[in-house]
Amino acid sequence: TILIRIKMAANPNENPFMQLFQTEEDFSRVQELLKDEVEELDAPTLKITDPYEEPLTNEYRSNLLEKIFLFTVRETVSPASNGLSSPSYLLKLPSLTTQLRALGEDLILSEDLLDQALVERLHIADKSSLITRVKGGKSGRLFTEKMATESRVLFYFGQCFERVLSCDGRDPRVSILCRYCKDLLLTYVSTQLVSLSSLIPSSNPNSPQKQIEELLEQIYNGNADISLTFLIEVLNKLPSDKIKQLFLLGVQKTLSHVPVKADFPNPNMDRLLKVLQFLAKQVDLAEMVISSKIWIPAVQTSKEYSHNTILGRLLSLTPIPQEFGSLPKVFGEFAGQTETTLDNRAVYMQEEIQKIVDGVTEFVKNLLRHGGQVRTAVMEWIIGCFKTSTGRSQMISEYSDPMTQALQSFLHASDGFYLNLLWVMLKVAVPFSRGGLVQANKVDPNYTMCASLPSTSCGGPVLDLSGESALVVLEGGEPVHPSLPLSFSTHWFFLTQKCLTLTYPSAARPFLQLQQHAKKILADGVLANLSLVPDEQTVLKIKVLLSKYYVYKTHACHPGLLEAVMEFIAFVCDWMLWQLIASQPQDKEIENISYSLLNEDTLYFLQSGVTPGAFHRIPESVVEMIVDVVVMFQKLQPDLLYRIQLSLGLFVSIFAGWQHLLRNPHLRARLVEILIILMEKGQNESSLMLASYKEERFSAHPFFHLVLVESLLRIFIDTEHSGEDMLFEQKYRYRHQIYSILCKVWGEAEYRVTVQRLHKEAVEGYLQSTSILLLKFIHLLVNDAVAILDRALKALQSVHEIEQSEENGEWDGLSVDDRKAKEQEKEEAIENAKLSNQMSERAIQMVVEVARVTPEVMVLDTMVDRVAAMLNYFLRKLIGPERNELKVKDFKVVSFSPKDLLHSIVLVYTNLAHSKQFCAAVCSDERSYSRELLQETCMTLRRIQVPLPIILEFSAFSNQLEKAEKEEEIERNLALQAPSEFCDALMGTLMRDPVTLPNSQTVMDRVTILRHLMSKSEDPFTRSTLTPDMLQEEVEVKQKIETWIKDKKDAKQESQLNTVTSAQEDEEVDDEDDADLY
């Protein structure tokens, strides 16, 4: 047929067989080849017959009905001769046979006779006397003598149902007959169950209730011939008011099989879960499940929820032991095992965990689909779990004392329970969590406002989050009226978020604690020689450590669980981004929801300082969860972070910067840690930058380039004003991370637009405002650089002194304890010096980048003196007489490179050397500047082999300072001679732009007061609030100062002229004297 149709095709493009060929030429070539081969065939007269066109014969239909129902009306039974196999045993129906013979009809079954046949079959009391064996008939589990004589209604029709399914195949004629039989037997069984339930007491072994109970028990034990599909079909036929009565015993029996402490893996669990899933599918049975005594525990503790509830017992099936500190047994004795065999065992265990989680997930989904009180009961159970888990986030460690471990085991469920619960909740959340931004609008942030409202109006019970801090605390304002009822997505989102907060990282922490020790044991080959270890206690410790390591590796690091967690984290980030997008003004309704909605308009909205209403209601714990999980994953499975980098990177780059989106500066600073992780991973393309993810690099998104630098500057500044609770080390640890990123991006082309915009704002507005972002950043950067380097140099001096005392023999006479104390002191000093040097290196590197890319900002009037003083101070410390105090035995151990540090400082000098203001500021620094210092620096640069161009530039700068020194000397003399009313009240310097402070009525130089306001917005004399716009210009005083300076300079020039003339006369006399001397 195919050949004919190919040959007869007029238009190849319309031929259905064209797809068999790659080109039309191939098609035409095959047509030509077929021309002679099929010439004799007449395509138009070719008849294509349908093998299923002819109807089934009566004999075939009768044999098929016999095979399904295992009864017959034939007197003599022999195997079917039409290709259909006959069953081994058939039950004769004598009454129907007699009736057919009397009517003169053929002794065969038909659909019309089925009703009568089933009625007779059900009323036969002694079925065994009418059974007949078919020689050569088919045997098998569905065709036994017991099934042919089955008297229990449910079991007989259930077996018929299974035979219908086995007979139904490709033949549509057979399928029609099978469907008819299926509908008929389901009608019969439902009618029989309902009628018999009224006639037979439930205690009777043949009652419908007992039959259902027995069938469910057989399915649980794995020896049932009937599938749950049959029971599901029966349920759909039963009247609703009879279902609970019929299934009462079956439900109770099934629930009694839910184990309190089951071994893992449990071979019966798969079948039990299938039965539970079946019960949960029908609303009446689901209501029976949630009404049982083991749904909510009598005693409200986390342990009771895991031990004495249906869901708790199922979720406690885990290789992680339920008693904290007990020895897991799933990995055996370890002796003689290799790391490969243990890893293979772990893979098997992970497959078993996956089965449990998938089964429980389906059970929970079936319950939730009913809505109403069933869904409410599920959410109440979850909320009850959370309420009794207070303190779980501060889980005890593997090394806690026995009493603490015992208390933990008594009060709390195991980590495995929480990991399973989390995974189930993540799986249920998939329909909305995989939707990203598109599904984000389905989650209502007003959930947190509904805890006090009735659950009926909220669409379910609400987790009380009123005690948690919001991202931004709302002061006053109108109360929010949420739109009720809340969607299921909203409920499940916040419950899942809470579960993730409780579970990670506390459940993964033991794995990380054990990992290093376990890997060392495995690497050293201890397992192979475990029998040779003489100390039994040591052997036991090794077994315990490896057992716990592997069970946590198996469960907490399950690839499926980790991927589900990352998927949810990505959705949370998208949800937060959506709250921002939805809050900004839109010209038209949003049609295409995507990351392209983050653009320059979003940046303007962020800069406006308006807090979206949602952020007054979203709890901080949402962001804390993201940070904790991502930091933990960086240790567990860092590659997974790359999959969600677009959502995560955009979220972090925005929320780290703006305090009107997230008030807590500590939390915002921790977000920078995520940026560090993402950007470092992005550099390692070989392991992380898979081809499928290249287009989703967060660092390639245009909005990231717009927002990153400004965000980092903002959080940098806000860490300075975060209160006394931010310790020195903590603040500089945060800033060290910010420096790491800024140093990489400050001069890159992608970020140039933002840097240039910030630079322009600073240069044009520095006299009008002290809140300019870049100015405040550089102000704090200078503070940091001085403070951190000073700390680092002092730490080096401490190490130097300790090493000197050790070399001088001062340790020789010390006792063992004293020597140990000295060594501890030395280690601490080295560690302190190392940390301080690493921090100072980053700060100095940032100064170099700012001076290289945006030098004009560093030489502004309000900034230049501080920058010059900082550089001079650094130079004096590195080149001056104190430099030998920085010598230590090994610079690498303390992360100190004086050559690189000096090189960096010189680069800043040369980058700013073009500015006269900078040169003047360098010379005016009386604390650290000297000509000798610069000369020594030039010599040192040659000695350490700094590139020649840099040496030449610095030498030129040094020569350039000679003229600046003379000018500075003039300025200094003018200041000494100036009347007090012309001098700055704070610094004593001659004012050039005098202004009056409105509260104290003090006159100061504008530059001086602006420099002060960079640190504190207050009057230095009265502590009252002061801002640049409040300063009052003193025009008359300024004119007087300018006139006075002009008069002084004129007088100075005239004096210098007279001095020069006198010097020339003296020079002639001196020449004569000099000649005499030589």
Side-chain angles (χ1 to χ4, degrees):
T1 304
I2 293 174
L3 296 179
I4 291 295
R5 292 185 177 178
I6 291 175
K7 178 192 172 188
M8 299 299 296
N11 184 357
N13 292 325
E14 296 177 359
N15 192 287
F17 296 97
M18 179 63 193
Q19 61 185 330
L20 298 174
F21 307 93
Q22 294 183 352
T23 64
E24 290 187 21
E25 288 75 11
D26 292 342
F27 184 88
S28 301
R29 191 178 303 112
V30 173
Q31 275 193 311
E32 187 66 28
L33 291 172
L34 290 174
K35 186 175 182 181
D36 298 329
E37 298 292 334
V38 293
E39 194 68 41
E40 69 279 5
L41 293 177
D42 185 5
T45 62
L46 182 67
K47 183 178 180 181
I48 302 173
T49 59
D50 183 354
Y52 303 132
E53 185 175 350
E54 298 294 331
L56 294 173
T57 64
N58 290 336
E59 182 186 2
Y60 191 96
R61 302 175 84 86
S62 178
N63 289 339
L64 185 60
L65 294 175
E66 286 179 352
K67 186 175 181 180
I68 292 172
F69 293 99
L70 298 187
F71 52 54
T72 182
V73 292
R74 289 184 288 167
E75 292 179 330
T76 303
V77 182
S78 59
S81 59
N82 49 20
L84 186 67
S85 60
S86 299
S88 299
Y89 297 92
L90 289 174
L91 182 70
K92 289 187 176 181
L93 302 177
S95 298
L96 185 55
T97 303
T98 303
Q99 179 183 337
L100 291 173
R101 189 186 304 108
L103 294 173
E105 297 182 5
D106 294 336
L107 298 181
I108 58 175
L109 286 171
S110 66
E111 295 95 309
D112 297 336
L113 295 175
L114 270 183
D115 268 318
Q116 189 175 346
L118 285 171
V119 171
E120 181 178 346
R121 200 266 180 208
L122 291 173
H123 285 84
I124 294 175
D126 184 11
K127 296 181 177 61
S128 59
S129 62
L130 298 175
I131 200 73
T132 181
R133 182 177 176 85
V134 182
K135 291 184 179 180
K138 181 179 180 180
S139 60
R141 67 179 186 85
L142 293 175
F143 303 100
T144 64
E145 181 181 359
K146 181 181 178 183
M147 288 189 174
T149 59
E150 179 63 67
S151 60
R152 294 168 299 178
V153 172
L154 183 67
F155 283 83
Y156 171 68
F157 283 111
Q159 292 156 5
C160 291
F161 181 86
E162 299 301 322
R163 287 190 287 271
V164 167
L165 295 182
S166 68
C167 292
D168 196 357
R170 296 181 181 179
D171 193 334
R173 301 167 300 173
V174 174
S175 296
I176 293 172
L177 180 57
C178 287
R179 278 199 299 272
Y180 174 81
C181 296
K182 177 181 169 183
D183 292 340
L184 182 65
L185 67 86
L186 287 174
T187 301
Y188 262 85
V189 72
S190 59
T191 305
Q192 288 290 311
L193 288 176
V194 172
S195 59
L196 291 176
S197 66
S198 304
L199 298 173
I200 305 176
S202 60
S203 57
N204 190 307
N206 291 322
S207 68
Q209 292 91 332
K210 282 290 185 181
Q211 290 186 46
I212 292 173
E213 178 188 12
E214 185 178 349
L215 179 54
L216 289 174
E217 181 74 3
Q218 288 183 6
I219 294 172
Y220 166 71
N221 290 324
N223 56 9
D225 298 312
I226 304 169
S227 66
L228 281 170
T229 306
F230 169 68
L231 275 181
I232 294 171
E233 296 280 2
V234 171
L235 271 172
N236 294 332
K237 291 283 187 179
L238 290 173
S240 179
D241 59 334
K242 288 291 184 179
I243 291 177
K244 289 185 179 180
Q245 176 190 351
L246 289 168
F247 279 82
L248 176 63
L249 297 179
V251 172
Q252 290 176 347
K253 185 70 172 179
T254 300
L255 296 182
S256 69
H257 287 303
V258 181
V260 178
K261 290 184 180 180
D263 292 333
F264 181 88
N266 190 321
N268 294 327
M269 197 49 55
D270 186 51
R271 296 189 295 271
L272 174 61
L273 284 169
K274 281 183 168 53
V275 178
L276 289 173
Q277 292 163 14
F278 156 73
L279 298 179
K281 274 186 177 180
Q282 216 285 337
V283 63
D284 296 296
L285 300 185
E287 289 175 355
M288 295 172 68
V289 172
I290 64 165
S291 301
S292 67
K293 293 180 180 179
I294 55 172
W295 183 257
I296 297 292
V299 180
Q300 295 284 304
T301 67
S302 173
K303 194 64 170 285
E304 286 293 308
Y305 268 92
S306 66
H307 274 47
N308 292 323
T309 65
I310 300 168
L311 282 174
R313 292 176 182 179
L314 295 174
L315 294 170
S316 294
L317 289 163
T318 165
I320 298 177
Q322 296 186 23
E323 279 70 35
F324 196 91
S326 60
L327 175 64
K329 300 178 181 179
V330 293
F331 283 93
E333 287 295 314
F334 288 100
Q337 297 194 53
T338 64
E339 187 173 358
T340 302
T341 58
L342 291 172
D343 288 340
N344 291 338
R345 178 69 174 168
V347 171
Y348 166 71
M349 288 295 173
Q350 288 179 337
E351 292 172 354
E352 294 299 313
I353 294 170
Q354 179 91 48
K355 291 178 183 177
I356 296 295
V357 170
D358 288 345
V360 178
T361 301
E362 190 61 31
F363 175 54
V364 172
K365 282 183 177 179
N366 290 344
L367 291 173
L368 292 171
R369 287 188 185 104
H370 300 305
Q373 63 176 345
V374 179
R375 179 182 291 180
T376 296
V378 174
M379 291 195 286
E380 283 177 345
W381 183 89
I382 294 172
I383 291 173
C385 263
F386 296 161
K387 285 182 178 178
T388 57
S389 300
T390 305
R392 175 167 174 76
S393 55
Q394 291 82 37
M395 286 286 288
I396 62 175
S397 74
E398 186 71 20
Y399 310 104
S400 301
D401 62 89
M403 184 63 71
T404 308
Q405 291 187 8
L407 182 63
Q408 167 74 16
S409 298
F410 179 75
L411 293 177
H412 289 290
S414 70
D415 286 333
F417 165 81
Y418 283 101
L419 288 168
N420 280 338
L421 173 59
L422 171 63
W423 200 355
V424 169
M425 297 191 72
L426 291 170
K427 280 178 166 288
V428 174
V430 162
F432 65 84
S433 66
R434 281 188 181 166
L437 280 175
V438 178
Q439 296 289 328
N441 62 346
K442 292 186 177 180
V443 178
D444 188 351
N446 294 320
Y447 176 91
T448 57
M449 311 294 292
C450 300
S452 59
L453 300 177
S455 61
T456 52
S457 60
C458 296
V462 175
L463 186 65
D464 187 4
L465 301 174
S466 58
E468 296 192 16
S469 300
L471 299 181
V472 181
V473 178
L474 178 64
E475 299 176 358
E478 293 293 325
V480 177
H481 301 287
S483 177
L484 300 177
L486 298 169
S487 67
F488 172 72
S489 298
T490 298
H491 281 282
W492 205 256
F493 171 85
F494 281 97
L495 292 177
T496 307
Q497 178 265 321
K498 182 68 174 179
C499 188
L500 186 51
T501 301
L502 287 171
T503 306
Y504 269 100
S506 58
R509 190 178 297 126
F511 168 74
L512 295 174
Q513 292 173 340
L514 296 164
Q515 186 177 33
Q516 184 177 357
H517 302 290
K519 285 189 173 182
K520 188 176 187 307
I521 291 174
L522 295 170
D524 292 346
V526 175
L527 282 181
N529 303 303
L530 198 60
S531 59
L532 302 178
V533 179
D535 185 3
E536 292 185 3
Q537 287 296 323
T538 303
V539 172
L540 180 60
K541 287 181 179 179
I542 292 173
K543 289 180 179 180
V544 170
L545 189 147
L546 288 177
S547 294
K548 292 185 177 180
Y549 166 72
Y550 268 101
V551 295
Y552 275 97
K553 179 182 179 181
T554 300
H555 204 162
C557 300
H558 193 297
L561 173 59
L562 298 183
E563 288 180 11
V565 170
M566 280 294 96
E567 190 175 81
F568 186 77
I569 290 294
F571 178 74
V572 177
C573 294
D574 287 336
W575 178 67
M576 296 284 282
L577 291 172
W578 170 252
Q579 305 308 318
L580 176 64
I581 292 170
S583 300
Q584 67 187 64
Q586 303 288 344
D587 296 334
K588 57 182 180 179
E589 186 176 350
I590 298 175
E591 296 178 356
N592 181 25
I593 298 177
S594 67
Y595 295 116
S596 62
L597 294 170
L598 296 169
N599 48 39
E600 290 186 358
D601 292 337
T602 308
L603 182 60
Y604 297 147
F605 179 69
L606 289 172
Q607 292 170 341
S608 70
V610 176
T611 300
F615 298 146
H616 293 304
R617 296 179 286 283
I618 298 174
E620 272 187 3
S621 60
V622 173
V623 180
E624 288 175 351
M625 172 198 71
I626 294 174
V627 175
D628 290 340
V629 170
V630 170
V631 171
M632 183 61 68
F633 266 63
Q634 194 255 341
K635 302 171 184 175
L636 291 176
Q637 192 71 34
D639 286 8
L640 282 177
L641 295 176
Y642 204 78
R643 299 189 185 184
I644 67 165
Q645 62 159 315
L646 186 58
S647 302
L648 187 59
L650 289 172
F651 162 75
V652 170
S653 61
I654 293 172
F655 283 81
W658 274 267
Q659 63 176 344
H660 64 275
L661 302 184
L662 176 59
R663 185 73 69 185
N664 188 333
H666 297 273
L667 200 49
R668 288 165 55 209
R670 290 194 66 199
L671 289 176
V672 178
E673 187 176 352
I674 298 179
L675 271 180
I676 293 285
I677 293 171
L678 290 177
M679 296 186 80
E680 286 180 351
K681 297 306 172 189
Q683 301 297 320
N684 187 8
E685 296 193 8
S686 60
S687 64
L688 290 169
M689 197 170 295
L690 305 178
S692 57
Y693 299 118
K694 279 190 176 181
E695 295 180 358
E696 298 181 0
R697 291 182 61 189
F698 76 98
S699 56
H701 195 281
F703 188 72
F704 184 75
H705 302 151
L706 281 177
V707 77
L708 176 65
V709 173
E710 185 168 348
S711 282
L712 291 175
L713 295 191
R714 288 179 179 276
I715 180 55
F716 183 95
I717 293 165
D718 289 342
T719 56
E720 183 71 17
H721 307 290
S722 57
E724 297 179 357
D725 55 334
M726 184 172 284
L727 302 176
F728 179 92
E729 290 81 4
Q730 189 179 42
K731 179 175 75 171
Y732 285 112
R733 179 165 51 84
Y734 289 155
R735 289 186 172 177
H736 178 76
Q737 295 171 340
I738 297 172
Y739 289 142
S740 298
I741 302 175
L742 284 177
C743 286
K744 292 178 181 177
V745 304
W746 196 261
E748 289 188 8
E750 294 91 338
Y751 306 91
R752 189 171 297 151
V753 173
T754 301
V755 174
Q756 288 177 347
R757 172 175 59 81
L758 295 171
H759 174 263
K760 182 179 179 182
E761 290 174 0
V763 173
E764 293 180 354
Y766 78 99
L767 291 177
Q768 287 74 42
S769 173
T770 56
S771 61
I772 295 174
L773 204 59
L774 188 53
L775 284 180
K776 294 178 76 171
F777 168 71
I778 295 176
H779 170 74
L780 295 175
L781 172 61
V782 171
N783 288 349
D784 275 9
V786 173
I788 299 174
L789 184 62
D790 205 36
R791 179 187 176 99
L793 298 182
K794 287 180 180 178
L796 286 170
Q797 289 175 353
S798 298
V799 175
H800 172 75
E801 291 171 1
I802 293 173
E803 289 178 345
Q804 285 292 105
S805 65
E806 184 179 12
E807 289 180 1
N808 295 338
E810 296 178 18
W811 291 22
D812 295 345
L814 296 177
S815 64
V816 175
D817 291 340
D818 289 343
R819 188 177 186 85
K820 196 171 183 180
K822 281 288 185 182
E823 289 174 350
Q824 179 68 24
E825 180 186 355
K826 180 181 177 181
E827 289 178 9
E828 291 176 357
I830 290 174
E831 189 61 31
N832 182 34
K834 179 180 179 180
L835 180 62
S836 299
N837 281 316
Q838 290 172 346
M839 290 183 174
S840 66
E841 180 187 4
R842 284 293 187 194
I844 300 300
Q845 187 181 357
M846 190 68 241
V847 173
V848 173
E849 283 298 301
V850 174
R852 181 178 68 86
V853 180
T854 52
E856 291 82 2
V857 183
M858 300 194 79
V859 296
L860 293 174
D861 294 343
T862 55
M863 196 65 63
V864 66
D865 288 342
R866 300 190 65 245
V867 172
M870 170 190 71
L871 296 172
N872 290 342
Y873 175 74
F874 292 165
L875 211 57
R876 180 168 62 85
K877 285 290 186 180
L878 293 175
I879 301 297
E882 300 175 1
R883 67 179 183 270
N884 288 332
E885 297 178 5
L886 305 179
K887 286 184 179 179
V888 295
K889 288 183 178 179
D890 189 346
F891 283 144
K892 291 183 179 180
V893 172
V894 292
S895 299
F896 181 54
S897 176
K899 295 180 181 179
D900 293 339
L901 187 58
L902 179 60
H903 187 183
S904 297
I905 293 169
V906 168
L907 284 177
V908 180
Y909 273 115
T910 56
N911 278 317
L912 304 180
H914 66 281
S915 168
K916 291 183 178 180
Q917 292 94 326
F918 176 69
C919 294
V922 170
C923 297
S924 63
D925 175 26
E926 298 179 356
R927 289 184 56 189
S928 303
Y929 173 76
S930 70
R931 292 290 301 161
E932 294 77 11
L933 186 64
L934 295 181
Q935 293 169 359
E936 182 66 26
T937 302
C938 289
M939 290 175 20
T940 305
L941 291 176
R942 294 189 185 95
R943 191 161 57 248
I944 64 176
Q945 298 181 345
V946 169
L948 183 59
I950 295 176
I951 298 175
L952 295 177
E953 286 183 28
F954 189 77
S955 297
F957 167 69
S958 177
N959 296 331
Q960 190 178 335
L961 291 181
E962 292 184 18
K963 182 180 179 181
E965 285 180 11
K966 295 177 180 178
E967 294 177 351
E968 176 57 28
E969 181 66 24
I970 294 172
E971 291 293 326
R972 190 179 293 114
N973 290 333
L974 284 175
L976 292 174
Q977 301 173 33
S980 59
E981 63 268 21
F982 291 173
C983 295
D984 183 269
L986 194 63
M987 302 299 293
T989 55
L990 179 62
M991 295 184 292
R992 296 306 178 99
D993 187 5
V995 292
T996 297
L997 313 188
N999 290 313
S1000 63
Q1001 289 299 304
T1002 306
V1003 179
M1004 293 183 65
D1005 199 6
R1006 187 188 297 274
V1007 171
T1008 305
I1009 187 59
L1010 287 177
R1011 193 181 301 138
H1012 167 79
L1013 294 178
M1014 293 286 290
S1015 300
K1016 293 182 179 180
S1017 297
E1018 62 183 27
D1019 188 316
F1021 301 98
T1022 63
R1023 304 299 182 194
S1024 57
T1025 301
L1026 180 63
T1027 57
D1029 58 297
M1030 298 169 64
L1031 301 176
Q1032 301 168 359
E1033 293 191 27
E1034 292 293 339
V1035 179
E1036 291 186 10
V1037 177
K1038 184 177 181 179
Q1039 290 176 347
K1040 290 180 180 179
I1041 293 173
E1042 290 174 349
T1043 302
W1044 182 84
I1045 292 174
K1046 185 177 181 303
D1047 293 343
K1048 283 293 180 180
K1049 285 187 175 181
D1050 290 345
K1052 180 68 175 177
Q1053 288 177 354
E1054 184 178 350
S1055 173
Q1056 286 177 340
L1057 183 61
N1058 294 333
T1059 303
V1060 169
T1061 304
S1062 175
Q1064 288 174 347
E1065 294 174 354
D1066 293 339
E1067 188 177 356
E1068 295 175 1
V1069 176
D1070 293 340
D1071 286 343
E1072 294 176 1
D1073 295 340
D1074 288 344
D1076 291 340
L1077 287 172
Y1078 291 102

